[in-house]
Amino acid sequence: MSQTLSAATLLAVPLAPLAGSLLAGIFGTTFGGNWIGRRLSHTLTIVGVLVAFIISAMTLKSVAIDGARFNETLYTWMVVGGLKMEIGFLVDGLTAMMMCVVTFVSLMVHIYTIGYMEEDEGYNRFFAYISLFTFSMLMLVMSNNMLQLFFGWEAVGLVSYLLIGFWFNKPTAIFANMKAFLVNRVGDFGFILGIGLLAAYAGTLNYTEVFAKSGEIAKLGFPGTDWMLITVICICLFIGAMGKSAQFPLHVWLPDSMEGPTPISALIHAATMVTAGIFMVARMSPLFELSDTALSFIMVIGAITALFMGFLGIIQNDIKRVVAYSTLSQLGYMTVALGASAYSVAVFHLMTHAFFKALLFLAAGSVIMGVHHNQDIRWMGGLRKYMPITWITALLGSLALIGTPLFAGFYSKDSIIEAVHFSNLPGAGFAHFAVLAGVFVTAFYSFRMYFLVFHGKERFDQNPDAHHDDHHGHDAHHAAHVPHESPWVVTAPLVLLAIPSVVIGFMSIDAMLFGDFLKDAIIVNAAKHPAMAELAKMFHGPVQMALHGLMTAPFWLALAGVVSAYYMYMINPALPAAIKRRVEPLYTLLENKYYMDWFNENVLARGARGLGIGLWKGGDEKLIDGALVNGSWKLVGWVSGVVRKVQTGYIYHYALAMIVGIFILVSYFSTWPMIKELLSK
């Protein structure tokens, strides 16, 4: 690519997956007549995503090495007064990185799906959905205005709804996708309020123009209150991120998203959907830098999510749910970094996390396939010798997740912990404690899963009621089958994801955190928020950082977590059960997920239903239909009945009425004055 990026070439990035999605979704399904088979459907979608990845990689090279940038409007959709609604692209370091992450992870998921969904009837439909997901996320990250951002934002929400409920005959899947949809509507309401306020006070939806007017907006107060307008805007925007990126208390949908097929779990948790909120806040850094209140709010919410969602991962027995709670915790880390004004560290962790989290999910799916669709880690064990490729890649992913020095997760995770340490905002102390404690928790539940799955006694033939996914049509006798390694279409993506999970942090930390790669995408007020400036002073290269990391608290906490997991599940497996008996109330609290689902279902949902029924029965049926609609015609009927008796049609009745009327009028005007005069005397 040249110094100036081509609009036509950039347009091919989102349109290639869209074309693959439309072809597979229309002509490869009953809807379009099943004109194309499975092989052509997956080929078309994979080629579309591959084209997008190749162009994204070329774009990244041009942006990183040649300093190329792109910020243009491609199409003006509508003009309302002075407000332009446009479609356009903004490509800088942040966008180019996101484009590569989204397309690469999506490509791996597409290839993996060939093996994982082989037996599923909705094969072509699934490929259409995941390609559409890729298109939606690319439109979101490439946008240069808030209208297009919101389009991508809602599009990823829609496709996640379709994918979580992919098996639409499963009641749990139906419940899960409705839950995801409703929770995200709560967040999106806040998001669109923030966009609306920006449009109202800035008079534009274009990023560059909004940021240019941010100084003026920062001087304004929110009408009718003593709140700063910029604080209200930033908190509203972040509420949107709380829904999409599953932050407390809008996190409840993400664990349930496991009801969808494993490939989509990897796509949602690694590259699309949940990363949208983190990306959005980083993109809006010029606005968030103007409100310390909003940044503190973000930091505290992130800290709560990082620590308390990690605790829930400790007690999970479903292999996919362990990884899901890990995602929640890591998203909390990213959010904490955003609150500390370490936006570049947040997106750096987003990038490293995308690779090892996609790896862990796909490895979990490979394990599920190998043990014939049992997902309970208590009934696995000893899989290392049966599934060597899955084992080694899962180990590398787990080491990256817990922040082992030299691995990708180490560089991003330790940078977050240090950045929070240097933050001077209210709530930074609690956040620093949360992210430090989270290191031990993450290491413990990650290696609890690792040891139970790949080491110890073989238990895969002992489960009396192994969980089998309905879609696969496997019977219970499969539980007794010997595990086997997955086919190459499954293991190849694992190997390709394992490579960046190990090396990407080492290779890119200098450029992303302390170089010029993100300098024009992210704005930080170093005087007020010194975290990044302090980090820069401490950084002396990735090797030195790794060596220093061996002597820091996070490393020893991670090691303690691994050792604890090994002792409790390999050496002394009776200990976890003993601890459970001692702290039964705490275990019950964790098992019920802090009763948040209970509260949402029994208080909020039931209250909303009660209000709806009250408005329906009382407001609509009784007041509107009963009193206003039915009451009005009944009144008209009564009046007409009375009038009908008066209007007889006989002329002598009308003559009598005239005589009586004249008599009354004459009496009133002649007699009444005399009566009043007499009464006054």
Side-chain angles (χ1 to χ4, degrees):
M1 287 211 173
S2 62
Q3 185 80 9
T4 305
L5 299 170
S6 162
T9 310
L10 289 173
L11 198 58
V13 175
L15 291 186
L18 178 62
S21 172
L22 291 174
L23 290 168
I26 296 173
F27 300 113
T29 61
T30 309
F31 176 76
N34 285 314
W35 284 7
I36 59 178
R38 291 187 166 206
R39 180 167 293 187
L40 188 53
S41 287
H42 75 230
T43 301
L44 288 169
T45 52
I46 289 172
V47 166
V49 177
L50 179 62
V51 168
F53 171 64
I54 291 169
I55 299 173
S56 297
M58 294 165 63
T59 304
L60 180 64
K61 175 184 171 295
S62 292
V63 169
I65 297 174
D66 303 331
R69 295 290 187 270
F70 186 91
N71 186 10
E72 289 181 20
T73 297
L74 303 181
Y75 175 69
T76 300
W77 177 47
M78 186 166 57
V79 180
V80 181
L83 187 66
K84 292 181 179 178
M85 299 187 184
E86 302 167 329
I87 296 169
F89 292 151
L90 166 61
V91 179
D92 51 18
L94 179 59
T95 302
M97 181 275 292
M98 289 296 298
M99 286 164 64
C100 282
V101 168
V102 170
T103 51
F104 179 74
V105 172
S106 178
L107 180 61
M108 296 299 104
V109 168
H110 274 70
I111 296 169
Y112 179 95
T113 299
I114 297 172
Y116 192 84
M117 299 294 286
E118 184 181 12
E119 303 168 17
D120 200 278
E121 293 179 0
Y123 187 88
N124 292 356
R125 177 166 60 93
F126 189 81
F127 272 98
Y129 285 170
I130 56 178
S131 269
L132 186 61
F133 211 165
T134 309
F135 158 76
S136 304
M137 191 67 188
L138 287 168
M139 288 297 285
L140 188 156
V141 300
M142 294 175 72
S143 65
N144 73 341
N145 63 85
M146 292 182 188
L147 176 73
Q148 190 175 323
L149 174 73
F150 191 72
F151 164 78
W153 194 268
E154 293 302 313
V156 293
L158 168 65
V159 185
S160 70
Y161 170 83
L162 296 173
L163 283 163
I164 294 168
F166 181 79
W167 292 309
F168 48 79
N169 292 320
K170 283 177 69 178
T172 51
I174 298 167
F175 183 82
N177 74 347
M178 185 57 70
K179 187 175 181 179
F181 192 80
L182 291 174
V183 172
N184 272 277
R185 295 293 66 74
V186 175
D188 293 354
F189 181 67
F191 188 55
I192 201 165
L193 284 179
I195 292 174
L197 286 170
L198 281 173
Y201 286 92
T204 179
L205 293 170
N206 186 277
Y207 292 161
T208 308
E209 294 171 6
V210 167
F211 298 157
K213 295 183 178 181
S214 59
E216 299 171 25
I217 297 171
K219 297 174 184 175
L220 302 174
F222 190 69
T225 69
D226 56 355
W227 303 338
M228 296 301 296
L229 177 64
I230 193 72
T231 298
V232 175
I233 290 171
C234 288
I235 288 176
C236 284
L237 291 174
F238 179 67
I239 288 171
M242 285 166 67
K244 274 290 173 291
S245 294
Q247 296 298 294
F248 176 88
L250 301 182
H251 66 279
V252 292
W253 68 269
L254 193 61
D256 287 16
S257 69
M258 299 300 99
E259 291 297 331
T262 301
I264 198 53
S265 300
L267 200 53
I268 288 177
H269 287 243
T272 58
M273 189 77 174
V274 296
T275 58
I278 308 299
F279 166 81
M280 182 273 295
V281 176
R283 176 60 78 198
M284 301 293 167
S285 60
L287 299 177
F288 282 88
E289 279 300 283
L290 298 170
S291 174
D292 284 2
T293 305
L295 289 173
S296 280
F297 177 72
I298 292 170
M299 192 186 297
V300 171
I301 291 292
I304 293 170
T305 309
L307 183 58
F308 289 94
M309 297 306 112
F311 287 146
L312 296 182
I314 294 172
I315 66 156
Q316 301 300 316
N317 295 315
D318 185 311
I319 188 170
K320 288 170 65 178
R321 287 186 181 268
V322 178
V323 188
Y325 280 106
S326 161
T327 302
L328 279 174
S329 182
Q330 297 308 304
L331 287 167
Y333 274 84
M334 298 174 210
T335 306
V336 166
L338 294 172
S341 291
Y343 307 98
S344 54
V345 181
V347 296
F348 182 45
H349 192 52
L350 184 158
M351 178 187 72
T352 61
H353 173 264
F355 296 119
F356 61 72
K357 186 52 54 75
L359 170 59
L360 285 169
F361 262 114
L362 298 187
S366 178
V367 168
I368 292 168
M369 290 174 69
V371 295
H372 306 282
H373 305 281
N374 167 37
Q375 295 183 195
D376 196 323
I377 60 176
R378 292 171 297 180
W379 305 108
M380 295 181 185
L383 296 184
R384 178 167 62 105
K385 67 179 181 182
Y386 299 102
M387 308 179 72
I389 300 173
T390 303
W391 161 65
I392 194 66
T393 51
L395 176 59
L396 293 172
S398 300
L399 289 170
L401 171 62
I402 70 170
T404 309
L406 291 176
F407 284 72
F410 162 76
Y411 292 102
S412 54
K413 205 169 180 180
D414 270 38
S415 298
I416 291 173
I417 294 168
E418 288 301 318
V420 178
H421 176 66
F422 291 124
S423 176
N424 52 15
L425 292 176
F430 166 67
H432 187 245
F433 165 77
V435 292
L436 264 180
V439 172
F440 173 85
V441 175
T442 302
F444 181 82
Y445 67 65
S446 298
F447 274 82
R448 169 182 176 265
M449 179 183 74
Y450 169 77
F451 289 131
L452 284 175
V453 172
F454 294 107
H455 294 273
K457 291 193 300 183
E458 298 175 0
R459 301 177 300 278
F460 46 81
D461 58 346
Q462 300 173 16
N463 185 9
D465 54 353
H467 172 68
H468 301 283
D469 291 326
D470 297 339
H471 61 283
H472 289 287
H474 288 274
D475 299 319
H477 72 272
H478 279 127
H481 287 189
V482 176
H484 58 82
E485 185 60 277
S486 301
W488 74 268
V489 288
V490 170
T491 54
L494 296 181
V495 173
L496 291 172
L497 283 165
I499 296 167
S501 297
V502 177
V503 304
I504 196 72
F506 183 93
M507 293 171 59
S508 59
I509 182 170
D510 198 358
M512 286 197 67
L513 300 195
F514 312 110
D516 295 336
F517 185 68
L518 295 174
K519 66 174 182 180
D520 53 347
I522 289 170
I523 306 298
V524 178
N525 184 344
K528 288 178 68 178
H529 309 129
M532 288 306 299
E534 294 295 327
L535 272 182
K537 293 177 186 175
M538 291 179 59
F539 184 72
H540 301 291
V543 176
Q544 187 64 35
M545 183 175 175
L547 291 172
H548 178 69
L550 295 170
M551 299 177 286
T552 58
F555 171 75
W556 292 105
L557 285 167
L559 184 61
V562 174
V563 171
S564 300
Y566 182 77
Y567 177 77
M568 291 173 70
Y569 294 96
M570 293 290 101
I571 306 296
N572 188 5
L575 183 58
I579 294 172
K580 178 186 171 182
R581 287 194 299 272
R582 291 290 182 91
V583 292
E584 192 70 39
L586 179 59
Y587 181 84
T588 305
L589 180 68
L590 295 176
E591 195 174 36
N592 287 280
K593 296 175 278 189
Y594 307 116
Y595 291 95
M596 293 208 60
D597 283 341
W598 181 91
F599 179 81
N600 290 335
E601 291 167 23
N602 291 282
V603 178
L604 296 182
R606 190 168 290 180
R609 271 180 71 88
L611 179 63
I613 292 170
L615 292 171
W616 166 34
K617 294 291 186 182
D620 186 32
E621 290 188 357
K622 296 275 178 40
L623 181 62
I624 297 172
D625 287 348
L628 297 180
V629 177
N630 294 335
S632 60
W633 73 255
K634 286 178 181 177
L635 179 63
V636 169
W638 178 81
V639 171
S640 60
V642 172
V643 172
R644 194 181 299 118
K645 292 176 181 177
V646 178
Q647 297 285 355
T648 61
Y650 295 113
I651 193 163
Y652 54 84
H653 285 169
Y654 301 144
L656 178 63
M658 290 174 63
I659 293 167
V660 171
I662 291 168
F663 174 75
I664 291 170
L665 287 171
V666 169
S667 300
Y668 179 78
F669 287 109
S670 62
T671 310
W672 179 243
M674 294 170 53
I675 293 171
K676 280 204 309 185
E677 190 177 345
L678 288 170
L679 289 173
S680 63
K681 290 179 181 180

